[in-house]
Amino acid sequence: MLRSVFGKSVHDLWRPLVAWTLFTAAWPAFYIALYPSIGAVEEMQQLLDAMPPAIRSIFVSEGLDIGSPEGYLNMELFAFVLPLLFMAWTIPVAAGATAGEEERGTLDMLLALPIRRWRVVAGKGAFMVVGTVVLGAGALAGLALGAAAVSVPLDMGKVAAGVVLAGLLALAFGGLALLIGALSGRRMAAIAIPFALSVAAFFVNTLGALVDWLDPWRPVSPFYHYIAGDPLSRGLDPGSALVLVAGAVVAGALAAVAFERRDLAA
Amino acid sequence: MTEPVIRTRGLTKWYGRNRGIEGLDLEVGPGEIVGYLGPNGAGKTTTIRLLLDLIRPSRGSAELFGLDVRRHGADLRRRVGYLPGGLRLYESLSGRELLDYFGGLRGRRDRLLEARLAKRLDLDLTREIRSLSHGTKQKVGLVAALAAAPDLLILDEPTTGLDPLVQIELFELLTEVRGEGRTVFLSSHILPEVERACDRVAFIREGRLVAMEAIAAFKARAVRRVELQFAEPVPAGAFAGLPGVRDVAQDGTTLTCSVTGPVDAVVKEAARHTVVAVTSAEPSLEDLFLAQYREAADAA
Ligand SMILES: Nc1ncnc2c1ncn2[C@@H]1O[C@H](COP(=O)(O)OP(=O)(O)OP(=O)(O)O)[C@@H](O)[C@H]1O
Ligand SMILES: [Mg+2]
């Protein structure tokens, strides 16, 4: 295993990855399992209807009916919780990739080896991606099992579309964390800034649906490309997916370039 | 002439407004052990990290094996073993796992050599690095640097944390490395340690190269403090006029002076009187070093 930068990441982080995958599977399973017993879906719908539209839009997208399991999931899980579960993986892992080693002082020996710096960024970035795929598979499995356990019919194709987009969203913010870590060598900054921006992006998208002057800014928010196309009712929109992929790839490439050029802290 | 293994030209590094090194011209040939000496903050680590392309020069250039380190960094490092100053290792790995990892990234592995080095340094490679003492971690770093059998070893303060016996073993190893025609460039500020092992020493102070020469040449220019004790007071003037003699001082029957080069003339002059005792301290490199600094400071 300890042969490559990627392998070293697996060696160091497979345990947290397994633990987090179990959690990321259990949470959605739990939510979908609760669905039938919230038989009071009607009540919930009433509750939502009673909400001011500004608040309601935070939970539900227009096209979805809370009465369907997909609509319920959209509100309870996909709006913010699932991206957060994924970002809780991608952001710290990416932030720790180079900045973690730089702060711990282990980078000197690593980069004194006959290896290009971008290879280090690539190896660690690849591990972040693979980990996200594992998490996504875990979330899907949790949803499928949870739904089967309580016999709730779920359109797994559409659910998968939502999970894929959530994963891509998390990778875009992970790419940003990789970039900030490579630029600054500071792990905490590389964690805090992408998280703060993800919250801001969330609000730009949700409030932008309601506030006129904010509306033109929605496409700036990665959340817009994640959820505004309603993957849970309309499936995967390749355009949205492409925007998120491009964001992650560009951020990752910039991270590699930035890291190549920098003076590394001793 | 053979191509130098290390060559810097006007190598300069500023950290913002902080001086790292300034206009450094350094040349190290194959098959020598060169000590890189200087007080804290002189710029030793800065120079070394520039050679490894870990930081980038403000001006000037550095070459290893005749190739620019900025353009050929990764290829050049194939031939280099490095021990960082203030070494930090992956704490959760064992020594063996660390060597696995670095060997994997190098794409080259010599388990026999690793085992032999570990044995020489009395190092248990199976233990988790976290659990090792400071000096033992240093041994792991040394084995990692030496295990690639590099043409050039760059060691930043390699003796840190090592007890005297291990230091001797290390210098033994480095001498063997030189014997195979490979080159060692090591920094230190503890002079008596390097004195033993180095062919040449380079002195750096405040970012500038002060001197670079063979240890033997240094010693030839040694300033010795000589103390003569006579049976009765002698005329000091006779000594003051001798070649290479300075700072003659007399206190009753005891006469002390500084002698540069051979002490022959002093001894012969003393022999004209009744000598009770002679004391002459072999100058430590430390003294030479300080004298060198004083000269440089005077010149400046
Ligand atoms: N990252 C940095 N930022 C600012 N200044 C730095 C940095 N690294 C080194 N310096 C400065 O550069 C100068 C040379 O430092 P360097 O670490 O090269 O010295 P050194 O000879 O290795 O000292 P020591 O014997 O203490 O290890 C010092 O004045 C130091 O303060
Ligand atoms: Mg130093």
Side-chain angles (χ1 to χ4, degrees):
Chain A
M1 190 47 71
L2 281 167
R3 282 293 174 88
S4 61
V5 173
F6 179 85
K8 171 74 164 49
S9 294
V10 175
H11 177 275
D12 290 344
L13 293 173
W14 70 268
R15 266 176 278 248
L17 177 58
V18 168
W20 197 240
T21 302
L22 291 176
F23 189 71
T24 303
W27 188 315
F30 178 70
Y31 265 93
I32 193 70
L34 278 183
Y35 180 71
S37 52
I38 310 185
V41 167
E42 299 291 298
E43 278 166 39
M44 207 142 160
Q45 184 77 51
Q46 280 164 18
L47 190 75
L48 281 172
D49 288 345
M51 284 179 180
I55 307 286
R56 189 177 52 196
S57 74
I58 293 175
F59 298 109
V60 228
S61 57
E62 294 141 46
L64 270 180
D65 170 12
I66 182 74
S68 73
E70 289 83 11
Y72 165 81
L73 283 180
N74 195 54
M75 171 181 129
E76 289 291 343
L77 194 67
F78 283 77
F80 199 69
V81 173
L82 193 69
L84 197 64
L85 287 171
F86 289 171
M87 284 191 294
W89 166 260
T90 58
I91 293 177
V93 166
T98 62
E101 285 214 33
E102 196 166 351
E103 284 183 349
R104 282 194 299 276
T106 53
L107 209 49
D108 252 45
M109 267 199 125
L110 178 62
L111 291 177
L113 296 170
I115 174 173
R116 298 282 304 269
R117 290 187 188 183
W118 69 263
R119 295 276 304 271
V120 174
V121 176
K124 294 187 179 238
F127 178 69
M128 166 183 77
V129 174
V130 169
T132 307
V133 170
V134 172
L135 286 180
L140 267 181
L143 282 167
L145 288 174
V150 293
S151 310
V152 169
L154 211 52
D155 183 340
M156 284 312 288
K158 298 211 166 119
V159 170
V163 169
V164 167
L165 285 173
L168 293 178
L169 175 76
L171 286 175
F173 282 105
L176 183 66
L178 200 62
L179 173 59
I180 294 171
L183 272 173
S184 69
R186 284 164 207 242
R187 193 170 151 269
M188 278 325 289
I191 291 176
I193 295 171
F195 266 123
L197 284 178
S198 75
V199 172
F202 171 77
F203 280 111
V204 166
N205 177 52
T206 46
L207 297 181
L210 304 156
V211 184
D212 281 346
W213 66 265
L214 209 52
D215 190 53
W217 293 97
R218 286 181 78 195
V220 174
S221 165
F223 269 87
Y224 173 80
H225 302 283
Y226 159 50
I227 203 85
D230 261 330
L232 275 92
S233 57
R234 293 194 209 124
L236 189 79
D237 167 32
S240 306
L242 209 64
V243 170
L244 294 174
V245 169
V249 168
V250 168
L254 286 176
V257 172
F259 195 54
E260 284 280 356
R261 303 168 73 100
R262 250 187 72 228
D263 278 358
L264 300 172
Chain B
M1 193 198 141
T2 47
E3 183 160 82
V5 174
I6 299 175
R7 176 195 277 149
T8 70
R9 291 196 189 88
L11 192 63
T12 301
K13 178 66 187 179
W14 285 82
Y15 299 98
R17 299 180 56 195
N18 286 335
R19 187 254 326 134
I21 56 170
E22 181 80 54
L24 196 77
D25 295 308
L26 198 66
E27 239 175 75
V28 175
E32 56 175 348
I33 301 181
V34 172
Y36 195 42
L37 301 171
N40 294 130
K44 304 181 293 295
T45 299
T46 299
T47 309
I48 284 173
R49 298 186 80 238
L50 283 165
L51 292 177
L52 288 153
D53 197 32
L54 293 165
I55 53 176
R56 306 310 171 34
S58 312
R59 259 179 293 119
S61 64
E63 288 176 1
L64 299 182
F65 308 103
L67 294 173
D68 188 272
V69 299
R70 287 292 292 109
R71 268 182 298 152
H72 304 275
D75 290 334
L76 287 174
R77 291 194 298 271
R78 202 166 293 289
R79 303 176 65 183
V80 178
Y82 170 52
L83 177 81
L87 172 72
R88 303 286 297 278
L89 300 166
Y90 299 107
E91 298 276 317
S92 65
L93 301 185
S94 68
R96 162 97 43 235
E97 287 172 322
L98 186 85
L99 295 173
D100 283 344
Y101 184 37
F102 287 172
L105 291 177
R106 276 189 183 275
R108 191 151 59 92
R109 202 57 203 281
D110 186 343
R111 284 166 201 280
L112 219 65
L113 179 58
E114 284 168 11
R116 221 168 52 226
L117 290 166
K119 186 139 187 278
R120 291 276 298 269
L121 293 174
D122 189 24
L123 174 67
D124 178 359
L125 286 173
T126 61
R127 283 182 59 184
E128 197 180 42
I129 290 169
R130 194 195 311 282
S131 73
L132 301 176
S133 72
H134 179 53
T136 313
K137 286 179 184 169
Q138 188 77 358
K139 290 184 190 177
V140 176
L142 284 165
V143 171
L146 282 154
D151 295 325
L152 169 63
L153 263 174
I154 300 180
L155 311 173
D156 197 355
E157 314 251 358
T159 53
T160 308
L162 300 182
D163 65 50
L165 282 178
V166 180
Q167 282 183 23
I168 291 171
E169 191 63 40
L170 170 63
F171 285 124
E172 190 74 20
L173 278 167
L174 297 182
T175 309
E176 291 168 23
V177 164
R178 174 183 56 191
E180 294 158 15
R182 302 189 273 137
T183 307
V184 181
F185 185 70
L186 62 92
S187 82
S188 177
H189 48 251
I190 307 174
L191 294 156
E193 286 177 12
V194 243
E195 193 175 345
R196 198 159 52 219
C198 294
D199 305 307
R200 289 200 298 154
V201 281
F203 292 118
I204 180 176
R205 188 184 59 138
E206 289 175 13
R208 290 173 182 280
L209 198 65
V210 182
M212 170 132 194
E213 61 186 307
I215 293 231
F218 245 108
K219 291 205 163 168
R221 289 198 289 106
V223 180
R224 285 182 181 76
R225 201 68 199 156
V226 178
E227 187 183 295
L228 297 158
Q229 214 185 317
F230 297 100
E232 59 221 37
V234 299
F239 286 90
L242 296 174
V245 173
R246 277 195 303 160
D247 306 335
V248 181
Q250 197 173 24
D251 178 15
T253 56
T254 305
L255 183 137
T256 53
C257 59
S258 303
V259 183
T260 308
V263 294
D264 184 61
V266 176
V267 171
K268 287 189 172 143
E269 179 62 33
R272 296 155 53 113
H273 310 275
T274 310
V275 183
V276 177
V278 184
T279 328
S280 168
E282 172 78 358
S284 70
L285 208 46
E286 201 91 39
D287 295 335
L288 299 178
F289 189 28
L290 291 174
Q292 190 84 40
Y293 276 3
R294 249 179 263 123
E295 273 168 39
D298 290 348

